[in-house]
Amino acid sequence: MKKIALLATFFVLCLASLSAQEKPFRFGFQASPSFSWMRTTDKLIEGAGTNLGLKVGMMGEYYFQGNYAFVSGLGFGLSQGGTLQNGYSSGIFWNQSELSETTKFDTLPLNAKLHYRINYIEIPFGLKMKGGTNEDAKLKYYAEIPVFTLGIVTKAIGDIR
């Protein structure tokens, strides 16, 4: 976790040294709610609930030509995941986990609910285009094409309900 905090601090300091008024670089911060759920291809295990999470992060834009920019940043997805409901009469689940009492929790009863909370670090990469007749135009439009997002799991917790 210290490495993540150090990386985030370094990224903020790099972006803070850039001025938002200079043309080639711009940066900003974001915070938004997120809803996530889980599903599986197993017909006897089904999705049974959602998680309300939070996404926070920093975004940077590098304008390489007039109205075109590369977009990247560093974000944190907090409390992602969902709930799955067991449809098997019995079974061994979480066999690769570190359970406090393996003999008590590895075999679950019918209709047991497995609730997951997952935290991510996300690094998006994309392309942003803006349009309008000029800088003083009343109407401007933007388009952003997310090329891909690299997501790294930092914490995953599951419990039985």
Side-chain angles (χ1 to χ4, degrees):
M1 194 65 178
K2 290 180 183 180
K3 290 180 184 179
I4 295 168
L6 184 62
L7 180 64
T9 304
F10 175 74
F11 193 73
V12 169
L13 291 175
C14 287
L15 287 177
S17 67
L18 302 174
S19 173
Q21 301 302 319
E22 294 176 13
K23 268 298 180 198
F25 297 104
R26 296 181 125 187
F27 72 96
F29 299 95
Q30 76 150 69
S32 61
S34 66
F35 295 95
S36 60
W37 60 91
M38 298 180 81
R39 67 180 185 174
T40 178
T41 57
D42 191 325
K43 295 183 194 265
L44 292 177
I45 297 177
E46 60 184 35
T50 62
N51 277 10
L52 175 62
L54 177 68
K55 289 196 172 196
V56 293
M58 302 160 280
M59 297 294 293
E61 300 171 354
Y62 171 69
Y63 283 88
F64 60 92
Q65 183 183 20
N67 294 336
Y68 301 96
F70 290 118
V71 179
S72 186
L74 180 67
F76 299 93
L78 308 172
S79 191
Q80 308 297 304
T83 303
L84 297 174
Q85 184 169 345
N86 175 28
Y88 289 99
S89 58
S90 67
I92 297 175
F93 301 97
W94 293 343
N95 55 354
Q96 296 179 359
S97 63
E98 299 173 8
L99 297 172
S100 57
E101 298 179 40
T102 55
T103 57
K104 183 177 179 182
F105 295 119
D106 66 350
T107 304
L108 301 176
L110 181 65
N111 295 327
K113 292 185 179 178
L114 309 172
H115 183 243
Y116 296 91
R117 289 179 308 281
I118 306 167
N119 293 347
Y120 289 95
I121 291 180
E122 299 175 335
I123 303 171
F125 298 97
L127 180 66
K128 184 174 187 176
M129 299 166 279
K130 70 178 184 177
T133 55
N134 58 30
E135 287 294 321
D136 298 328
K138 291 184 181 181
L139 179 64
K140 294 182 182 181
Y141 53 92
Y142 297 88
E144 190 168 329
I145 302 169
V147 177
F148 66 92
T149 299
L150 175 65
I152 302 166
V153 175
T154 58
K155 182 179 179 183
I157 297 175
D159 59 30
I160 303 167
R161 293 183 174 183

